[in-house]
Structure formats: C-alpha cells, structure tokens
Amino acid sequence: MAEDGDRPTDDELLDLVAGRADAATAERVRRAAEADPGIAADLALMRGARTAFASSEAERTPGSLGWARLSRALDAEAA
C-alpha cells in the first residue's frame, strides 16, 4: 500500500485518465494503483465517470437539442 506521501494526487489521477499525464507520472500512478486497491478504485471511478459523461454529451449535442426545439416550435405553430 502506498504511503500518503507517495499517493498520487487527484489531479495526477485525472491526468492519467484523460491521457494528459507525462510518461513518468503515468508510470508512477499505475504502480501506485497496482499496490493500493483504493487508488485502483479511484481510477476505475474516474474512468467510468469520464465514459458516462462522454456518452451523455454525445446524446445531447447542441445540434440535436436545437432540432428538437425547432421541431416543437413548428408543431406548436402548425397547431
């Protein structure tokens, strides 16, 4: 288990998940996650949240929302 001083920061975990971590930081975070189930769980949670947010953003693009709003307005005007 990593000591508190060796534990990667939340920013370092987020950088790894987002692909922004430099090679040395990424390797250090991966080693820490292998040694500490709590860190591994934090990474899994962050990856899951990133995936969920990405898929919800794709479903609610401004374009699709704009078309839905326009369609409702046209339907209301026709009625």
Side-chain angles (χ1 to χ4, degrees), residues 8-78:
T9 65
D10 287 343
D11 286 339
E12 290 171 326
L13 297 177
L14 288 170
D15 284 345
L16 177 67
V17 169
R20 294 185 304 253
D22 60 66
T25 300
E27 182 59 29
R28 188 172 67 77
V29 171
R30 285 189 193 103
R31 281 196 313 269
E34 289 172 1
D36 185 333
I39 295 171
D42 288 346
L43 281 173
L45 178 66
M46 290 176 182
R47 286 183 176 122
R50 181 176 169 90
T51 300
F53 288 134
S55 65
S56 70
E57 286 176 11
E59 294 170 2
R60 299 172 195 236
T61 63
S64 66
L65 293 175
W67 279 113
R69 186 178 24 222
L70 178 59
S71 179
R72 282 192 308 272
L74 290 172
D75 290 344
E77 188 175 307

